[in-house]
PDB file of all heavy atoms in Angstrom:
ATOM      1  N   ASN A 115     -16.758   1.499  -0.960  1.00 97.00           N
ATOM      2  CA  ASN A 115     -15.891   0.760  -0.040  1.00 97.00           C
ATOM      3  C   ASN A 115     -14.421   0.781  -0.467  1.00 97.00           C
ATOM      4  O   ASN A 115     -13.575   0.339   0.290  1.00 97.00           O
ATOM      5  CB  ASN A 115     -16.362  -0.695   0.073  1.00 97.00           C
ATOM      6  CG  ASN A 115     -16.002  -1.500  -1.166  1.00 97.00           C
ATOM      7  OD1 ASN A 115     -16.361  -1.128  -2.267  1.00 97.00           O
ATOM      8  ND2 ASN A 115     -15.258  -2.566  -0.987  1.00 97.00           N
ATOM      9  N   SER A 116     -14.102   1.330  -1.656  1.00 98.00           N
ATOM     10  CA  SER A 116     -12.736   1.151  -2.161  1.00 98.00           C
ATOM     11  C   SER A 116     -12.041   2.470  -2.477  1.00 98.00           C
ATOM     12  O   SER A 116     -12.506   3.228  -3.344  1.00 98.00           O
ATOM     13  CB  SER A 116     -12.784   0.276  -3.422  1.00 98.00           C
ATOM     14  OG  SER A 116     -11.556   0.360  -4.109  1.00 98.00           O
ATOM     15  N   SER A 117     -10.935   2.721  -1.796  1.00 98.00           N
ATOM     16  CA  SER A 117     -10.157   3.935  -2.114  1.00 98.00           C
ATOM     17  C   SER A 117      -9.468   3.772  -3.472  1.00 98.00           C
ATOM     18  O   SER A 117      -9.253   4.754  -4.177  1.00 98.00           O
ATOM     19  CB  SER A 117      -9.130   4.224  -1.017  1.00 98.00           C
ATOM     20  OG  SER A 117      -8.211   3.167  -0.907  1.00 98.00           O
ATOM     21  N   LEU A 118      -9.146   2.525  -3.835  1.00 98.00           N
ATOM     22  CA  LEU A 118      -8.506   2.312  -5.141  1.00 98.00           C
ATOM     23  C   LEU A 118      -9.447   2.766  -6.264  1.00 98.00           C
ATOM     24  O   LEU A 118      -9.011   3.366  -7.250  1.00 98.00           O
ATOM     25  CB  LEU A 118      -8.143   0.832  -5.303  1.00 98.00           C
ATOM     26  CG  LEU A 118      -7.127   0.542  -6.397  1.00 98.00           C
ATOM     27  CD1 LEU A 118      -5.743   1.061  -6.036  1.00 98.00           C
ATOM     28  CD2 LEU A 118      -7.052  -0.952  -6.682  1.00 98.00           C
ATOM     29  N   MET A 121      -9.185   6.429  -6.564  1.00 98.00           N
ATOM     30  CA  MET A 121      -7.936   6.811  -7.250  1.00 98.00           C
ATOM     31  C   MET A 121      -8.121   6.682  -8.758  1.00 98.00           C
ATOM     32  O   MET A 121      -7.735   7.557  -9.530  1.00 98.00           O
ATOM     33  CB  MET A 121      -6.768   5.919  -6.794  1.00 98.00           C
ATOM     34  CG  MET A 121      -6.411   6.105  -5.332  1.00 98.00           C
ATOM     35  SD  MET A 121      -5.146   4.914  -4.820  1.00 98.00           S
ATOM     36  CE  MET A 121      -5.778   4.422  -3.216  1.00 98.00           C
ATOM     37  N   TYR A 155       3.414  -0.288  -5.133  1.00 97.00           N
ATOM     38  CA  TYR A 155       2.158  -1.054  -5.146  1.00 97.00           C
ATOM     39  C   TYR A 155       1.731  -1.327  -6.590  1.00 97.00           C
ATOM     40  O   TYR A 155       1.484  -0.401  -7.350  1.00 97.00           O
ATOM     41  CB  TYR A 155       1.105  -0.240  -4.399  1.00 97.00           C
ATOM     42  CG  TYR A 155      -0.249  -0.882  -4.253  1.00 97.00           C
ATOM     43  CD1 TYR A 155      -0.418  -2.253  -4.101  1.00 97.00           C
ATOM     44  CD2 TYR A 155      -1.391  -0.090  -4.215  1.00 97.00           C
ATOM     45  CE1 TYR A 155      -1.669  -2.814  -3.939  1.00 97.00           C
ATOM     46  CE2 TYR A 155      -2.658  -0.644  -4.053  1.00 97.00           C
ATOM     47  CZ  TYR A 155      -2.784  -2.006  -3.917  1.00 97.00           C
ATOM     48  OH  TYR A 155      -4.030  -2.566  -3.751  1.00 97.00           O
ATOM     49  N   VAL A 199       2.752   6.169  -1.199  1.00 98.00           N
ATOM     50  CA  VAL A 199       2.118   5.584  -0.004  1.00 98.00           C
ATOM     51  C   VAL A 199       2.968   6.103   1.150  1.00 98.00           C
ATOM     52  O   VAL A 199       4.003   5.526   1.477  1.00 98.00           O
ATOM     53  CB  VAL A 199       2.111   4.033  -0.057  1.00 98.00           C
ATOM     54  CG1 VAL A 199       1.381   3.474   1.159  1.00 98.00           C
ATOM     55  CG2 VAL A 199       1.454   3.539  -1.337  1.00 98.00           C
ATOM     56  N   ASN A 204       3.718   0.342   0.956  1.00 94.00           N
ATOM     57  CA  ASN A 204       3.584  -0.995   0.381  1.00 94.00           C
ATOM     58  C   ASN A 204       4.638  -1.114  -0.725  1.00 94.00           C
ATOM     59  O   ASN A 204       4.552  -0.396  -1.704  1.00 94.00           O
ATOM     60  CB  ASN A 204       2.152  -1.131  -0.179  1.00 94.00           C
ATOM     61  CG  ASN A 204       1.917  -2.411  -0.928  1.00 94.00           C
ATOM     62  OD1 ASN A 204       2.839  -3.156  -1.189  1.00 94.00           O
ATOM     63  ND2 ASN A 204       0.672  -2.655  -1.304  1.00 94.00           N
ATOM     64  N   ASP A 233      -1.642   8.195  -1.219  1.00 98.00           N
ATOM     65  CA  ASP A 233      -2.486   7.085  -0.769  1.00 98.00           C
ATOM     66  C   ASP A 233      -2.089   6.699   0.654  1.00 98.00           C
ATOM     67  O   ASP A 233      -1.187   5.886   0.858  1.00 98.00           O
ATOM     68  CB  ASP A 233      -2.301   5.909  -1.743  1.00 98.00           C
ATOM     69  CG  ASP A 233      -3.085   4.674  -1.300  1.00 98.00           C
ATOM     70  OD1 ASP A 233      -3.832   4.769  -0.315  1.00 98.00           O
ATOM     71  OD2 ASP A 233      -2.931   3.620  -1.953  1.00 98.00           O
ATOM     72  N   ALA A 235      -3.094   4.712   2.849  1.00 98.00           N
ATOM     73  CA  ALA A 235      -3.869   3.500   3.167  1.00 98.00           C
ATOM     74  C   ALA A 235      -3.588   2.988   4.581  1.00 98.00           C
ATOM     75  O   ALA A 235      -4.434   2.356   5.194  1.00 98.00           O
ATOM     76  CB  ALA A 235      -3.541   2.403   2.159  1.00 98.00           C
ATOM     77  N   TYR A 236      -2.369   3.247   5.093  1.00 98.00           N
ATOM     78  CA  TYR A 236      -1.960   2.645   6.378  1.00 98.00           C
ATOM     79  C   TYR A 236      -1.773   3.696   7.475  1.00 98.00           C
ATOM     80  O   TYR A 236      -0.890   3.583   8.316  1.00 98.00           O
ATOM     81  CB  TYR A 236      -0.679   1.815   6.156  1.00 98.00           C
ATOM     82  CG  TYR A 236      -0.923   0.696   5.171  1.00 98.00           C
ATOM     83  CD1 TYR A 236      -0.399   0.714   3.889  1.00 98.00           C
ATOM     84  CD2 TYR A 236      -1.744  -0.365   5.516  1.00 98.00           C
ATOM     85  CE1 TYR A 236      -0.672  -0.291   2.974  1.00 98.00           C
ATOM     86  CE2 TYR A 236      -2.030  -1.384   4.609  1.00 98.00           C
ATOM     87  CZ  TYR A 236      -1.484  -1.336   3.352  1.00 98.00           C
ATOM     88  OH  TYR A 236      -1.775  -2.340   2.448  1.00 98.00           O
ATOM     89  N   SER A 269      -8.949   4.556   3.479  1.00 98.00           N
ATOM     90  CA  SER A 269     -10.197   3.795   3.657  1.00 98.00           C
ATOM     91  C   SER A 269     -10.124   3.023   4.971  1.00 98.00           C
ATOM     92  O   SER A 269      -9.063   2.913   5.585  1.00 98.00           O
ATOM     93  CB  SER A 269     -10.410   2.816   2.503  1.00 98.00           C
ATOM     94  OG  SER A 269      -9.554   1.699   2.639  1.00 98.00           O
ATOM     95  N   SER A 271     -10.605  -0.101   4.941  1.00 98.00           N
ATOM     96  CA  SER A 271     -10.482  -1.501   4.505  1.00 98.00           C
ATOM     97  C   SER A 271      -9.765  -2.370   5.533  1.00 98.00           C
ATOM     98  O   SER A 271     -10.181  -3.490   5.791  1.00 98.00           O
ATOM     99  CB  SER A 271      -9.726  -1.579   3.182  1.00 98.00           C
ATOM    100  OG  SER A 271     -10.579  -1.210   2.130  1.00 98.00           O
ATOM    101  N   LYS A 272      -8.647  -1.880   6.090  1.00 98.00           N
ATOM    102  CA  LYS A 272      -7.905  -2.692   7.051  1.00 98.00           C
ATOM    103  C   LYS A 272      -8.054  -2.144   8.466  1.00 98.00           C
ATOM    104  O   LYS A 272      -7.220  -2.367   9.338  1.00 98.00           O
ATOM    105  CB  LYS A 272      -6.455  -2.814   6.607  1.00 98.00           C
ATOM    106  CG  LYS A 272      -6.360  -3.763   5.419  1.00 98.00           C
ATOM    107  CD  LYS A 272      -5.138  -3.571   4.593  1.00 98.00           C
ATOM    108  CE  LYS A 272      -5.239  -4.442   3.342  1.00 98.00           C
ATOM    109  NZ  LYS A 272      -4.233  -4.063   2.359  1.00 98.00           N
TER     110      LYS A 272
HETATM  111  C1  PLP B  11      -1.231   1.037  -0.640  1.00 89.37           C
HETATM  112  C2  PLP B  11      -2.613   0.498  -0.815  1.00 89.37           C
HETATM  113  N1  PLP B  11      -3.574   1.306  -1.261  1.00 89.37           N
HETATM  114  C3  PLP B  11      -4.847   0.866  -1.449  1.00 89.37           C
HETATM  115  C4  PLP B  11      -5.184  -0.442  -1.187  1.00 89.37           C
HETATM  116  C5  PLP B  11      -6.589  -0.877  -1.421  1.00 89.37           C
HETATM  117  O1  PLP B  11      -7.457   0.010  -0.758  1.00 89.37           O
HETATM  118  P1  PLP B  11      -9.033  -0.136  -0.813  1.00 89.37           P
HETATM  119  O2  PLP B  11      -9.402  -1.433  -0.186  1.00 89.37           O
HETATM  120  O3  PLP B  11      -9.529   1.047  -0.039  1.00 89.37           O
HETATM  121  O4  PLP B  11      -9.449  -0.060  -2.262  1.00 89.37           O
HETATM  122  C6  PLP B  11      -4.206  -1.334  -0.719  1.00 89.37           C
HETATM  123  C7  PLP B  11      -4.528  -2.743  -0.465  1.00 89.37           C
HETATM  124  O5  PLP B  11      -3.709  -3.574  -0.225  1.00 89.37           O
HETATM  125  C8  PLP B  11      -2.885  -0.844  -0.531  1.00 89.37           C
HETATM  126  O6  PLP B  11      -1.899  -1.637  -0.091  1.00 89.37           O
END
Side-chain angles (χ1 to χ4, degrees):
N115 75 304
S116 165
S117 62
L118 197 70
M121 295 174 222
Y155 182 34
V199 183
N204 174 351
D233 177 5
Y236 299 108
S269 76
S271 283
K272 286 158 187 167

